[in-house]
Amino acid sequence: MPHLSLTDLSNEWLSLNERFPSDTHQFVLTFFQNNAKMLSERFYEAMLSDSGASKFLSNEDVSQRLGSSMQRWLSGLFASFDQDAIKRLIAEQRKIGEVHARIDLPLHLVLRGARCLKDSFASLVKNEALSGEQRIQAMRFVSDTIDLTMEIMGQAYSISHDRNSRAEEAYRLFAITQNIANEKDQQRAAVLHWENQLMFDQAVGKKGTELPRIQASDFGLWFRHKGVHAFEGSAESTAILDVMDSIDNVLLPLLGTDIEDAESPVQRISLLHDLRDKVRSILFNLDSLFEQNNELESGRDVLTRLLNRKFLPVVLTRQIDQARRQKTSFAVMVLDIDHFKQVNDTYGHQAGDAVLQQLALILVNNSRSGDYLFRLGGEEFLLIAVDMEKSQIKRLADKLRESVARETFRLPEGKTLNVTISAGVACFDNHPDHQRLIRKADDALYQAKSSGRNRVVIA
């Protein structure tokens, strides 16, 4: 069945309103405006009784803001009478449905909330001085209106959820780098680099807690945040994760323990053989994964070879889910080139493209394999820094800014140029909606640019 247009929906809402007398309209409007706080509290009390809702409502900040948003929604639900006002109300319901899809809020929780509101109104309206017919009319008006809002939200939810699902499947199949053979070589080298570093640290007598963890290594970050998504569902991917866990939580503590009896050299050699076997297992499974997957180019910016914004919602949704499950943090950094329009106007668009390409290379060289780099469009870029706290992201942002400021950008015809960047940073605060995180980073970028450029602002 085709989705109803905005005009069709507004006509249906007007028709619904016209089925009920004006005194019913006025009573319901006044009732909801006067009792919005009580209805909101009952709504969230019922929602929190469902274990599935804890993922979305457990954060105190979220709960407080949602409570005030729910009160505004309830107060305005019956306040629109002409077609223009109703169209604005429909647009609001659609936006709510899109947010629900973006944070993957189960549809049954939304419908449970609607049922709770209707039940709450039915129980409260019994105490009002209304005739039996007036009470029935008010209950029908409220029930029909809430049902219609659920249809509109559900329609927007369905469209957005389908779009997100297609993007997620495309991302699962997407080869992480522009050349899968190069990525294979790079990640094999990263594993071997970690092994060599470990052997050196172990030889000089570092303790177990000082030995480098493979899950925190360049390879470990890349595989846990990117590889597992690209190779999702494969036995080899699971095997690599299990081996890394065994290395970090079993082998390394043993290697860092002082063994004082006569057999300690034998035991240590046995542990090192076990470590070598596990590293070989990682490399074997890694080779197998790369052999099974072909490169897909859609989703990569043609000019800079960074990811384009096609997969940004999928990556952020996955990152939020992982951070919430593992109690970790990450940060989003939005940055752009200061006065980039002057570069194009003065030197031409070919020179502007050269600057963008060189900036992309600086960003790649100064970030980690597990991080994500996007070109959002024009001169704007976005970095997702995984497993990173607020104190760490400030150092990284300043490092990027200073690296760009020191660089001499080479333009066509032998010309050179120095440019600077401004950056806005937002750290994950356990809120499930990734759009809010991006907006906070955008706002911080605006502050950085309006306060003089060539600086970093953290939201």
Side-chain angles (χ1 to χ4, degrees):
M1 180 182 295
H3 295 299
L4 292 176
S5 68
L6 178 59
T7 300
D8 290 337
L9 286 170
S10 62
N11 287 336
E12 185 172 342
W13 202 313
L14 279 170
S15 177
L16 186 158
N17 285 346
E18 290 168 358
R19 293 202 304 269
F20 298 91
S22 58
D23 60 336
T24 299
H25 281 255
Q26 189 57 51
F27 168 77
V28 169
L29 173 61
T30 303
F31 181 92
F32 271 80
Q33 289 178 338
N34 292 340
N35 294 278
K37 188 174 187 296
M38 181 192 301
L39 288 167
S40 175
E41 289 171 351
R42 287 195 176 193
F43 172 84
Y44 283 111
E45 182 180 347
M47 292 289 279
L48 285 168
S49 68
D50 189 310
S51 59
S54 61
K55 172 184 176 182
F56 309 94
L57 302 177
S58 59
N59 181 270
E60 183 178 354
D61 178 55
V62 174
S63 300
Q64 290 175 351
R65 287 187 303 97
L66 286 177
S68 59
S69 296
M70 170 62 75
Q71 291 177 47
R72 287 194 299 272
W73 182 75
L74 290 169
S75 299
L77 196 57
F78 301 94
S80 300
F81 302 101
D82 62 78
Q83 193 159 46
D84 287 341
I86 286 174
K87 284 183 177 180
R88 289 193 293 272
L89 195 57
I90 291 170
E92 180 186 355
Q93 313 315 307
R94 284 177 165 172
K95 183 178 180 181
I96 294 171
E98 290 169 357
V99 171
H100 289 167
R102 195 158 60 234
I103 67 175
D104 203 22
L105 180 70
L107 200 54
H108 77 271
L109 286 178
V110 180
L111 297 177
R112 177 189 178 95
R115 178 163 58 87
C116 168
L117 287 175
K118 291 189 285 187
D119 289 347
S120 295
F121 177 75
S123 66
L124 291 171
V125 80
K126 292 177 183 178
N127 302 320
E128 298 293 325
L130 298 173
S131 68
E133 179 60 25
Q134 288 174 325
R135 187 172 291 109
I136 291 172
Q137 289 278 38
M139 290 172 62
R140 284 183 56 199
F141 180 43
V142 168
S143 179
D144 288 354
T145 301
I146 291 177
D147 285 347
L148 182 55
T149 63
M150 290 301 105
E151 287 182 32
I152 297 169
M153 287 184 198
Q155 181 187 96
Y157 182 100
S158 176
I159 294 171
S160 185
H161 193 271
D162 288 348
R163 187 189 308 121
N164 293 345
S165 296
R166 288 193 298 272
E168 185 167 348
E169 178 62 16
Y171 180 71
R172 190 185 70 80
L173 297 172
F174 179 66
I176 298 300
T177 64
Q178 70 177 60
N179 188 301
I180 201 164
N182 288 349
E183 186 65 40
K184 174 183 173 181
D185 291 342
Q186 181 178 336
Q187 295 309 323
R188 281 183 62 88
V191 173
L192 296 173
H193 175 76
W194 168 82
E195 183 185 25
N196 290 336
Q197 184 65 50
L198 172 66
M199 292 298 185
F200 176 81
D201 290 347
Q202 192 272 332
V204 299
K206 287 192 175 181
K207 303 299 183 183
T209 55
E210 300 173 314
L211 296 176
R213 266 43 184 174
I214 190 170
Q215 292 182 84
S217 70
D218 211 36
F219 168 77
L221 288 174
W222 174 85
F223 194 81
R224 291 191 299 111
H225 289 277
K226 292 184 177 180
V228 290
H229 302 318
F231 309 129
E232 189 174 21
S234 65
E236 292 88 349
S237 178
T238 301
I240 290 175
L241 290 172
D242 289 344
V243 170
M244 289 199 298
D245 183 69
S246 176
I247 289 173
D248 283 352
N249 296 309
V250 179
L251 272 180
L252 295 192
L254 290 173
L255 276 172
T257 301
D258 290 327
I259 305 174
E260 298 179 353
D261 57 59
E263 296 186 13
S264 63
V266 176
Q267 293 182 29
R268 194 168 299 280
I269 289 172
S270 176
L271 290 172
L272 292 174
H273 278 302
D274 192 9
L275 177 67
R276 174 56 59 87
D277 289 342
K278 291 186 183 304
V279 170
R280 286 175 178 171
S281 170
I282 290 175
L283 294 174
F284 175 81
N285 284 298
L286 191 64
D287 289 345
S288 177
L289 287 172
F290 277 111
E291 288 168 6
Q292 296 170 28
N293 289 269
N294 296 319
E295 180 183 8
L296 297 176
E297 280 297 293
S298 62
R300 189 167 299 285
D301 178 57
V302 175
L303 179 66
T304 64
R305 311 309 302 154
L306 302 180
L307 294 170
N308 65 34
R309 64 190 315 145
K310 172 181 178 180
F311 291 129
L312 181 58
V314 177
V315 172
L316 277 172
T317 298
R318 286 178 175 272
Q319 199 60 46
I320 286 173
D321 181 63
Q322 187 170 355
R324 290 169 69 102
R325 282 187 290 104
Q326 299 180 358
K327 310 299 182 186
T328 58
S329 187
F330 69 95
V332 170
M333 183 192 312
V334 179
L335 55 93
D336 71 11
I337 302 171
D338 297 326
H339 305 296
F340 183 69
K341 185 177 183 298
Q342 294 180 13
V343 176
N344 282 330
D345 291 346
T346 304
Y347 300 98
H349 288 279
Q350 188 177 359
D353 288 349
V355 170
L356 292 172
Q357 289 173 323
Q358 291 171 73
L359 174 59
L361 187 60
I362 294 172
L363 297 179
V364 169
N365 289 339
N366 286 278
S367 57
R368 303 162 300 169
S369 291
D371 297 333
Y372 294 88
L373 280 165
F374 293 82
R375 183 187 175 200
L376 299 182
E379 71 273 27
E380 192 170 35
F381 296 79
L382 183 143
L383 169 69
I384 300 174
V386 303
D387 287 8
M388 188 165 283
E389 302 293 339
K390 191 170 185 177
S391 59
Q392 298 170 304
I393 190 64
K394 180 66 166 66
R395 290 195 296 270
L396 174 60
D398 284 333
K399 175 185 174 184
L400 290 173
R401 182 186 59 79
E402 292 165 4
S403 297
V404 172
R406 288 194 304 266
E407 184 78 7
T408 299
F409 288 77
R410 303 192 178 281
L411 310 182
E413 301 178 1
K415 297 176 181 178
T416 61
L417 180 69
N418 293 102
V419 299
T420 59
I421 61 171
S422 298
V425 179
C427 297
F428 176 60
D429 61 359
N430 211 38
H431 193 285
D433 187 2
H434 60 78
Q435 284 285 8
R436 178 173 176 271
L437 194 60
I438 294 174
R439 284 196 298 271
K440 288 178 66 177
D442 277 334
D443 290 344
L445 173 62
Y446 177 80
Q447 291 180 41
K449 297 186 80 68
S450 61
S451 59
R453 294 182 168 84
N454 189 24
R455 64 193 62 208
V456 175
V457 171
I458 298 183

